[in-house]
Amino acid sequence: AAAGGQPIRISVIAAAARGLPDQVEFVTGAYTSFDWLCQELLEGDDARVRFEIIDPAPGALDTPERALRYVISPALAERIRLRDGTCRHPGCSVAARDCDIDHVIAFDRASPELGGPTLEWNLVCLCRKHHREKTFGTNSYRPGPLGELIITTDTGHQHRTRPKGPLARAREGIQEQVDIILADRLISPDGYLTNPPGTHRRDRPA
């Protein structure tokens, strides 16, 4: 990438504050190791690197003003691609970088406050084929929590997909760490639950 004049883009998902080490994802290209990155930087005379710090909190870039604008900002579009990883239609593996960013609940250009907002929870990656299928087909689409997409066919069958990109994986890791910490506070060394959490149980008299 460096030799081709393209900047090496590194997305750092800031998870340290939530109990996990910051996670590095190589967004452009099939870079497989940190050693490869170091070698590329040392050997490439014109290597350029751009680090992007990503806040993993859902809706970190959402604002009331942007919610009422149809055009998705480049930063928000990149965030959706980092979250989704691929087209969100069931079984589709088109990379997110080659997908459109679509409003799940359609944006109302005439009355923006009455339509689907331009907010993280209402945006998904869809390849051009499945974007057109959503626009002109008979299925209904609705968003779920943390990027879940729920598709209902005209026969009543439901299909659900969840995002699998680096941002979604980081969120899962953060939640897992939170659950571990909570379990440690709930369960005392002898295996009993503590109430309230974090207190030490007194040994029962024999």
Side-chain angles (χ1 to χ4, degrees):
Q6 294 294 325
I8 300 173
R9 296 174 52 217
I10 303 174
S11 176
V12 181
I13 299 174
R18 294 168 175 82
L20 290 177
D22 288 348
Q23 298 186 29
V24 177
E25 291 284 346
F26 301 101
V27 179
T28 303
Y31 313 140
T32 57
S33 71
F34 187 75
D35 290 339
W36 176 93
L37 173 64
C38 293
Q39 181 178 354
E40 189 78 0
L41 296 179
L42 290 171
E43 296 179 355
D45 294 334
D46 60 348
R48 291 176 295 156
V49 179
R50 183 172 63 159
F51 285 89
E52 300 169 318
I53 305 299
I54 306 297
D55 185 343
L61 295 184
D62 293 346
T63 66
E65 296 78 17
R66 289 176 179 168
L68 300 179
R69 298 176 187 168
Y70 175 74
V71 176
I72 302 166
S73 70
L76 181 56
E78 181 66 17
R79 183 178 182 84
I80 300 304
R81 291 189 169 97
L82 279 172
R83 184 198 68 190
D84 287 356
T86 64
C87 171
R88 295 296 307 286
H89 189 86
C92 185
S93 60
V94 173
R97 65 177 177 272
D98 298 323
C99 291
D100 300 330
I101 306 296
D102 186 45
H103 292 77
V104 181
I105 302 173
F107 188 90
D108 189 331
R109 300 194 190 208
S111 301
E113 66 279 0
L114 299 180
T118 304
L119 298 174
E120 183 180 330
W121 62 265
N122 191 44
L123 300 171
V124 295
C125 290
L126 289 175
C127 68
R128 187 57 54 87
K129 173 186 174 182
H130 291 123
H131 191 175
R132 289 174 176 166
E133 182 178 312
K134 175 180 177 293
T135 302
F136 303 109
T138 59
N139 295 338
S140 66
Y141 296 72
R142 62 187 176 92
L146 298 180
E148 184 181 40
L149 179 63
I150 304 164
I151 303 174
T152 304
T153 67
D154 50 8
T155 59
H157 292 87
Q158 279 195 351
H159 303 273
R160 296 170 180 259
T161 68
R162 292 180 173 82
K164 297 180 179 179
L167 180 55
R169 296 197 299 271
R171 287 174 175 169
E172 291 173 357
I174 291 168
Q175 186 58 53
E176 181 179 354
Q177 185 69 19
V178 169
D179 293 342
I180 291 172
I181 293 172
L182 179 59
D184 287 343
R185 296 182 66 230
L186 281 173
I187 303 174
S188 63
D190 59 5
Y192 287 90
L193 293 177
T194 59
N195 188 22
T199 59
H200 293 285
R201 292 180 68 256
R202 295 179 179 178
D203 293 333
R204 295 183 178 180

